[in-house]
Amino acid sequence: MPRVLALGAVAATAVVLAVPATRRSVTRVVASARAEARRRLALFRADMAAREAELRTGLLPTDAELADARWRRTHRP
């Protein structure tokens, strides 16, 4: 029974894609979905870059702080 259903689904897909109008419609939907995925990925990457930059400025020590820590290590009382 599952094999018959799988063959039927493949056959139905082949028939649907054989009709040029349906094929164009499917192509348009797939292209639109890919464009939306690319847009969302670009937004995600920009958001992650902004978060990383914010973390770097907030968490990493400045050059002055590093120099002060270096001076304290070498000039302990």
Side-chain angles (χ1 to χ4, degrees):
M1 183 69 177
R3 190 176 292 171
V4 172
L5 288 175
L7 287 174
V10 169
T13 303
V15 168
V16 166
L17 291 179
V19 178
T22 304
R23 191 172 48 240
R24 282 191 299 271
S25 174
V26 168
T27 302
R28 251 183 273 128
V29 168
V30 169
S32 173
R34 289 181 69 201
E36 176 64 16
R38 272 190 241 108
R39 184 189 71 79
R40 292 180 67 182
L41 182 60
L43 288 173
F44 173 77
R45 286 180 175 161
D47 182 51
M48 292 307 291
R51 288 179 186 209
E52 182 181 359
E54 183 180 339
L55 283 173
R56 284 185 185 278
T57 58
L59 296 178
L60 293 179
T62 64
D63 289 339
E65 290 171 334
L66 288 174
D68 184 47
R70 215 175 293 120
W71 186 85
R72 276 197 231 137
R73 272 196 310 264
T74 57
H75 295 90
R76 290 191 177 166

